[in-house]
Amino acid sequence: MPLELRSRITLLLPAPMTLPQHFLVEGILTSLIDVCGGITVSSDLPPAFRGSWIKRDGRKVDDTNLLVLADAPVSPDEPGLLSYLERLKLRSQQAFNQDLVWVTVHEVQRITAYDPAP
């Protein structure tokens, strides 16, 4: 079974509520497409990923996000990828005025059997 090493990026972005936020999300998604060659993203109208952030003291805060999955064609410890993701995270936190924007990266091995030739 042929395998391909990739880095799975998982990103939870606050759901855009204003036109500038929609443009910001569009820019982030376009950037990820350029880096990874494609992405999977939940719907933003209405946001398809709605839940609650539960704090240590038991308080719940409604949390409406876009779920973004992207597979970069490099190892997760690639310095350029990590630097890119750190900048993306900071930009997102600042633009959305968030204390935390969740970004993860881990190695995946994609099964490539039966895929068309590149």
Side-chain angles (χ1 to χ4, degrees):
M1 163 176 45
L3 298 173
E4 177 183 68
L5 173 67
R6 292 278 178 147
S7 293
R8 169 67 46 90
I9 300 163
T10 304
L11 173 63
L12 284 177
L13 286 175
M17 301 299 175
T18 66
L19 189 58
Q21 288 176 344
H22 278 277
F23 286 134
L24 173 69
V25 166
E26 184 68 26
I28 290 170
L29 298 181
T30 299
S31 175
L32 277 169
I33 291 168
D34 290 342
V35 168
C36 300
I39 61 172
T40 300
V41 63
S42 64
S43 173
D44 65 345
L45 294 171
F49 196 80
R50 182 171 172 83
S52 297
W53 176 258
I54 302 172
K55 298 187 174 201
R56 287 187 179 136
D57 62 6
R59 289 184 297 141
K60 288 184 180 180
V61 177
D62 283 339
D63 199 18
T64 304
N65 295 286
L66 298 179
L67 174 62
V68 182
L69 301 174
D71 292 341
V74 296
S75 171
D77 58 359
E78 174 69 35
L81 178 63
L82 296 177
S83 177
Y84 167 78
L85 293 174
E86 286 177 2
R87 289 190 312 273
L88 184 139
K89 178 179 170 66
L90 178 62
R91 175 179 167 204
S92 299
Q93 286 179 191
Q94 290 174 338
F96 283 102
N97 194 29
Q98 296 283 307
D99 291 334
L100 179 66
V101 168
W102 195 257
V103 180
T104 65
V105 63
H106 63 276
E107 182 178 308
V108 296
Q109 293 190 30
R110 188 177 76 83
I111 299 170
T112 60
Y114 311 111
D115 289 357

